[in-house]
Amino acid sequence: MRFLIRTGSTLKFPDTDPIGSSIRCNWAQNHVNLGDQDSLWFTDGSKTESGCGLSIYGPNTRISMPLGPDTSVFQTEIMAVTHCVTDCRKYLATNTRITILSDSQAVLKALNSPRCTSKLVLDCRKALNGLADSSPVTLIWVPGHTNIEGNNICDSLAKEAARTPFTGPLPTCSLTKNQVREMLKTRADGEFRKLWLA
């Protein structure tokens, strides 16, 4: 389990492995103690054939937001954490202890990495630092699809968002090089098929 600890102007994490087998075992046996946190939040992202979406589930909050078809699962997951942090900053009182639970190991590893190549990860780090200026923040990995009620609700909300038609300009976030390459390849293949069949 990795705790996000605010010290000075940087984020520090203990050296413990957030996704180690002992943590998985503890979750499976319901032995992970979240403590008496004032505010517990789950975040999730989902990608289906019809689109992508993010969700946030917390105290008196159920957010389900479609993101369109061109967003990756990683992008939906990191955007969910960022939106959660933004909402906590807007609506929660100062010094409220905040715990954000995500089932995305990739997002937690990216936030912990000393090297950052993604603007979305950088934006999320900045948002976390801003929130940590006024409230203690903890990020915890939670295993997906293991009957943890909050995570199951958040997963359902994310899938609902992914199925919801998106209205607005596309793309909803910047595309990666691989996404652009795949889109160009798909378009070129389609054009080739049209010419071949003509």
Side-chain angles (χ1 to χ4, degrees), residues 85-105:
V85 169
T86 302
D87 285 354
C88 287
R89 198 167 182 192
K90 279 184 197 172
Y91 303 115
L92 295 180
T94 302
N95 292 324
T96 300
R97 287 178 295 172
I98 299 165
T99 299
I100 300 171
L101 296 103
S102 172
D103 62 5
S104 175
Q105 297 174 15

Side-chain angles (χ1 to χ4, degrees), residues 57-196:
Y57 174 70
N60 302 313
T61 305
R62 288 177 182 241
I63 296 173
S64 182
M65 183 185 305
L67 297 173
D70 299 323
T71 311
S72 71
V73 174
F74 177 83
Q75 288 171 323
T76 65
E77 295 276 3
I78 193 81
M79 289 173 70
V81 173
T82 305
H83 280 279
C84 179
V85 169
T86 302
D87 285 354
C88 287
R89 198 167 182 192
K90 279 184 197 172
Y91 303 115
L92 295 180
T94 302
N95 292 324
T96 300
R97 287 178 295 172
I98 299 165
T99 299
I100 300 171
L101 296 103
S102 172
D103 62 5
S104 175
Q105 297 174 15
V107 163
L108 296 179
K109 285 180 178 180
L111 289 170
N112 188 39
S113 175
R115 186 168 171 248
C116 181
T117 58
S118 165
K119 183 176 181 327
L120 289 175
V121 173
L122 184 61
D123 290 345
C124 189
R125 283 182 182 174
K126 287 179 181 178
L128 282 163
N129 276 320
L131 180 60
D133 283 338
S134 61
S135 299
V137 182
T138 304
L139 285 176
I140 297 177
W141 173 76
V142 58
H145 313 290
T146 53
N147 292 325
I148 296 167
E149 183 182 7
N151 197 53
N152 287 347
I153 291 169
C154 202
D155 183 59
S156 295
L157 289 169
K159 287 179 178 162
E160 176 187 318
R163 289 189 300 265
T164 303
F166 176 78
T167 55
L170 289 172
T172 54
C173 63
S174 57
L175 300 174
T176 66
K177 289 178 189 175
N178 288 340
Q179 287 173 300
V180 171
R181 190 177 303 122
E182 186 61 33
M183 289 170 71
L184 290 173
K185 183 181 180 306
T186 301
R187 185 172 179 182
D189 287 348
E191 293 294 321
F192 176 77
R193 282 192 189 101
K194 283 182 193 174
L195 289 172
W196 183 260

Side-chain angles (χ1 to χ4, degrees), residues 1 16-27 105 109 141:
M1 189 168 357
T16 5
D17 180 7
I19 52 177
S21 57
S22 63
I23 299 302
R24 290 175 203 245
C25 180
N26 285 343
W27 272 109
Q105 297 174 15
K109 285 180 178 180
W141 173 76

